Amino acid sequence: MNAVNQLINLYNMTPTGDIYHDISDIMLRHLPQLKKMSINQIAELCFTSKATLSRLARKLGFESFAEFRANVTSNLTNYPSLNHSMPPVDTLASSTFVDAYLNYLRLMIDKLEARLDPDYIQTINENINNAEIICLYSHQAGDFPMMQLQYDLVMAGKKTVFLQNLDDQLANARTLDDKSIILICLPNSIESAPRVEVLKVAKALGATVVLIKPRSSTIGSKYADFTLDFDDSRTAMDGYIYDIIISLLSMTYRYNYLT
């Protein structure tokens, strides 16, 4: 989980005047300073209390404000050295960054095409359509492809739950049974590990699990009934591939059940 992304999403989704909107606004404008400030100093900066900051952290999916701030600090520290879009240009036979970027994207899509089985996608959609409750567990803020899938399922009259917060996912998993299905993506990152407990609980209650994951990761695999994996690059390209997979599920569902 990326605390900065979660904070930006909270800021975007809450109206001006909402206490969490105003706090996130101040934090985002003073982000580099947060890693050197105590919780008392941050509370003073945001014109709020430590208790409210703790509630904000839990609202964003963290157990405590200390965990939230540690995540912010990690993002600030590592940001300059990360390849956010693609591997280094000098590793690719291309003369410009634009060419290198598009060539690498084509390579990732070609690899995905080689791994995806249309019949397997069809089988997953049949299981989704036969379920009484479909639970979409997102791992990121602003997960528009999964929200589109929820829209399509709702249009088909399916009871569909979309959850981003880990605590909400765990609470929801405890209510499931063998007529339920979960769709979840677990990136190859330390933030994915806590969500394994969600899958463990759901499987114990008989729910069907559809797992989307990088090929290099085994996180959550033993609890999955269906697995869609892809060759990961540890860059933003992986997010694009995830979006494509969800979009393919969504479009296939529309074609089969909404036309």
Side-chain angles (χ1 to χ4, degrees):
M1 189 184 306
N2 185 311
V4 178
N5 280 343
Q6 295 292 93
L7 196 61
I8 291 172
N9 190 55
L10 179 65
Y11 173 78
N12 290 339
M13 298 297 290
T14 51
T16 302
D18 180 279
I19 185 170
Y20 294 117
H21 176 92
D22 295 345
I23 292 173
S24 58
D25 177 28
I26 294 170
M27 283 188 177
L28 290 170
R29 286 189 284 112
H30 297 84
L31 203 61
Q33 295 99 293
L34 295 186
K35 64 181 181 180
K36 297 181 180 180
M37 299 174 69
S38 68
I39 187 172
N40 289 325
Q41 291 171 322
I42 296 172
E44 184 176 350
L45 172 71
C46 297
F47 305 101
T48 191
S49 66
K50 293 191 295 182
T52 300
L53 291 182
S54 296
R55 287 193 291 271
L56 173 101
R58 289 193 295 273
K59 188 177 183 69
L60 295 176
F62 297 91
E63 292 186 3
S64 66
F65 188 79
E67 182 182 351
F68 163 78
R69 188 177 55 182
N71 192 294
V72 170
T73 298
S74 175
N75 278 283
L76 289 169
T77 302
N78 294 324
Y79 186 83
S81 62
L82 292 177
N83 278 304
H84 295 283
S85 300
M86 54 181 281
V89 175
D90 59 11
T91 67
L92 304 169
S94 181
S95 58
T96 69
F97 179 84
V98 172
D99 287 341
Y101 182 89
L102 294 176
N103 286 338
Y104 194 78
L105 181 57
R106 291 187 191 99
L107 175 63
M108 293 289 289
I109 292 174
D110 287 344
K111 288 183 176 181
L112 177 65
E113 184 179 12
R115 296 194 63 78
L116 284 182
D117 179 352
D119 291 336
Y120 196 62
I121 296 287
Q122 177 70 18
T123 300
I124 291 172
N125 267 299
E126 288 172 0
N127 277 265
I128 289 173
N129 193 60
N130 291 333
E132 291 187 2
I133 301 175
I134 301 109
C135 303
L136 308 178
Y137 292 170
S138 177
H139 67 291
Q140 61 184 6
D143 193 340
F144 298 112
M146 196 171 272
M147 286 189 279
Q148 178 62 54
L149 178 56
Q150 181 189 27
Y151 182 88
D152 292 334
L153 293 169
V154 168
M155 292 297 287
K158 307 298 293 184
K159 182 176 180 179
T160 310
V161 178
F162 174 82
L163 297 170
Q164 292 177 288
N165 182 276
L166 175 59
D167 290 339
D168 292 340
Q169 292 172 0
L170 185 57
N172 178 253
R174 292 182 177 127
T175 69
L176 302 182
D177 57 25
D178 60 1
K179 299 179 181 65
S180 310
I181 190 167
I182 291 172
L183 182 66
I184 187 169
C185 178
L186 295 180
N188 193 2
S189 65
I190 191 170
E191 289 86 1
S192 292
R195 282 183 163 77
V196 174
E197 181 63 22
V198 174
L199 299 188
K200 185 178 179 180
V201 168
K203 280 302 298 177
L205 295 172
T208 299
V209 174
V210 179
L211 174 64
I212 303 171
K213 72 172 188 67
R215 186 180 177 187
S216 61
S217 174
T218 60
I219 298 174
S221 295
K222 68 179 182 179
Y223 301 110
D225 298 282
F226 300 96
T227 302
L228 293 167
D229 57 12
F230 57 92
D231 292 284
D232 56 319
S233 64
R234 297 295 187 96
T235 71
M237 291 287 184
D238 296 344
Y240 303 164
I241 300 303
Y242 164 76
D243 289 353
I244 289 172
I245 292 172
I246 297 294
S247 295
L248 285 173
L249 285 169
S250 184
M251 287 185 287
T252 304
Y253 188 88
R254 288 201 300 272
Y255 178 80
N256 286 315
Y257 302 107
L258 286 172
T259 56

